[in-house]
């Protein structure tokens, strides 16, 4: 990868910028996950501790799912469409406009000062202050280190927000990104009094019946490719209607497929709208699925990536089959 074209800001610099400004919007990516909302709300707690005005926002089509709604401070989240411009905009767990969604990107374009905190691999960052650490397990690890640099009280709520992002982005501390920094940060968060068991329950023992039915359907339909080490499945709009399932109900399918012993790479296609297919890739053998997703105009991390195709489900299935069939042995 080419040398990044932006300057890496120190935590002290960012902390100083937080102190010297007021009126903040904090926003993450579209299709928000635990790390995105955990980072948004963690930053909001941090800024309030500094006595600042903060507007946490999210690109939301549906209401937040119950797991994300359980993160402390989630009730204060404003939909990006309803947000007002503020002097400063902090982007978390995302960098580019495309990841922010139209409404949030338009809002960001109006501000006088921008900060980005992200752990995705990016080549450029136009913000005034960028802190981008692709080796960090979660963006909430960056928020945590920023809170320490800003010397705000490490409250239970702040710790719970940061722990949620860390727990979800490391697949409960099971993925390759679960490094010593992840465990060290987690230990510090636990020491702040968070209820690890309760947070875990909110995310992993909180499935809907529709989610389990969608998973069963996708398992029934599995197609094995590339000699059996790749698996593909799908959910159509009709399935969602029949099962009375929400989009969030399909998020767990990919992990169920990847959990098969011989599977190295899994792919799930979800037809969310007519002519709009959302795809997810996961790998567990080091196969770079971000590169695979990039072929479809998407991106993400080496072991977890996604993309959106504007075509029919059948067409998307053909393309995914082709990509998965041409994988080399890692
Ligand atoms: Mn993340």
């Amino acid at each position: 990868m080419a040398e990044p074209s932006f300057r890496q800001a120190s935590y002290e610099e960012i902390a100083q910028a937080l102190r010297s400004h007021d009126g903040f919007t904090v926003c993450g990516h579209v299709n928000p996950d635990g790390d995105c909302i955990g980072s948004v709300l963690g930053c909001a707690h941090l800024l309030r501790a500094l006595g600042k005005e903060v507007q946490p926002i999210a690109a939301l089509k549906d209401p937040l799912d119950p797991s994300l709604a359980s993160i402390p401070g989630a009730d204060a989240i404003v939909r990006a469409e309803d947000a007002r411009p503020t002097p400063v905009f902090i982007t978390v767990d995302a960098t580019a406009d495309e990841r922010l969604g139209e409404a949030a990107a338009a809002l960001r374009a109006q501000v006088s000062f921008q900060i980005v905190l992200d752990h995705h691999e990016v080549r450029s960052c136009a913000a005034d202050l960028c802190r981008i650490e692709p080796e960090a397990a979660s963006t909430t690890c960056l928020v945590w280190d920023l809170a320490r640099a800003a010397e705000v009280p490490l409250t239970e709520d702040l710790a719970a927000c940061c722990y949620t992002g860390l727990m979800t982005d490391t697949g409960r501390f099971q993925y390759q990104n679960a490094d010593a920094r992840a465990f060290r940060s987690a230990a510090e968060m636990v020491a702040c009094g968070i209820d690890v068991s309760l947070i875990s329950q909110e995310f992993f023992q909180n499935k809907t019946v529709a989610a389990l039915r969608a998973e069963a359907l996708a398992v029934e339909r599995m197609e094995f490719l590339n000699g059996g080490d790749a698996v593909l499945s799908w959910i159509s709009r009709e399935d969602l209607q029949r099962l009375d399932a929400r989009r969030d109900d399909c998020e767990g399918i990919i992990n169920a497929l990847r959990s098969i012993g011989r599977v190295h790479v899994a792919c799930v296609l979800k037809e969310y709208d007519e002519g709009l297919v959302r795809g997810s890739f996961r790998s567990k053998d080091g196969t770079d699925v971000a590169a695979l997703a990039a072929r479809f105009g998407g991106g993400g991390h080496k072991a977890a990536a996604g993309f959106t195709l504007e075509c029919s489900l059948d067409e998307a299935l053909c393309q995914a089959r082709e990509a998965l069939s041409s994988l080399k042995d890692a």
Side-chain angles (χ1 to χ4, degrees), residues 229-233 253-259 263-268 280-284 289 292 305 324 327:
D229 62 13
V231 64
L232 172 66
S233 194
I253 296 172
I254 189 80
N255 294 325
L257 301 194
R258 179 177 48 180
S259 70
V263 164
H264 296 169
V265 179
C267 178
V268 176
S280 309
F281 278 121
R282 295 288 186 276
S283 76
K284 65 179 182 208
V289 290
L292 213 52
L324 291 170
L327 289 173

Side-chain angles (χ1 to χ4, degrees), residues 75-308:
D75 48 353
I77 291 178
V78 176
R79 292 161 53 92
E81 288 78 7
D82 304 329
R84 60 194 156 75
T86 57
V88 186
F89 195 103
I90 306 182
T91 310
V92 291
D93 205 29
T95 298
D97 277 354
E98 304 86 77
R99 293 291 295 144
L100 278 187
E102 264 174 47
L107 206 61
R108 181 165 77 166
Q110 301 176 45
V111 308
S112 53
F113 198 82
Q114 291 184 29
I115 300 172
V116 167
L117 297 175
D118 194 7
H119 72 141
H120 295 87
E121 193 98 50
V122 298
R123 260 164 241 179
S124 64
C125 177
D128 297 283
L129 291 174
C130 309
R131 182 80 199 176
I132 292 164
E133 299 182 56
E135 67 289 352
S138 66
T139 298
T140 59
C141 281
L142 278 66
V143 174
W144 188 249
D145 286 352
L146 179 58
R148 301 184 73 93
E151 296 178 331
V152 296
L154 301 174
T155 61
E156 186 183 332
D157 280 353
L158 173 60
C161 292
C162 291
Y163 182 82
T164 298
L166 190 48
M167 172 188 74
T168 51
D169 262 25
T170 56
R172 299 179 243 185
F173 302 93
Q174 294 177 87
Y175 301 155
Q176 282 102 335
N177 62 358
D179 58 7
R181 176 184 179 187
F183 281 98
R184 259 196 312 271
S185 300
E188 290 167 7
M189 295 164 196
V190 172
C192 295
I194 60 170
D195 189 335
V196 167
S197 157
L198 190 68
I199 294 173
S200 166
Q201 265 184 50
E202 292 284 4
F203 276 81
F204 303 111
Q205 308 294 324
N206 200 9
K207 267 191 195 171
T208 62
V209 172
L212 218 63
R213 292 215 166 106
E215 202 170 298
L217 189 62
V219 166
E220 196 61 44
R221 278 177 185 157
M222 291 184 297
E223 272 177 58
F224 291 97
L225 299 153
N226 205 49
D229 62 13
V231 64
L232 172 66
S233 194
W234 48 278
I235 291 287
S236 68
R237 274 207 316 160
E238 198 196 319
D239 297 327
L240 290 174
Q241 278 163 15
R242 192 161 41 81
L243 298 172
D244 194 22
R246 286 168 30 125
R247 292 172 184 209
D248 303 325
D249 291 324
C250 301
E251 293 302 312
I253 296 172
I254 189 80
N255 294 325
L257 301 194
R258 179 177 48 180
S259 70
I260 298 166
R262 71 181 208 213
V263 164
H264 296 169
V265 179
C267 178
V268 176
L269 299 180
K270 293 155 283 187
E271 185 194 27
Y272 282 150
D273 279 307
E274 184 83 57
L276 190 76
V277 180
R278 173 81 193 156
S280 309
F281 278 121
R282 295 288 186 276
S283 76
K284 65 179 182 208
D285 68 339
T287 300
D288 185 358
V289 290
L292 213 52
R295 283 206 236 160
F296 299 97
H301 301 289
K302 226 180 145 192
F307 59 90
T308 304

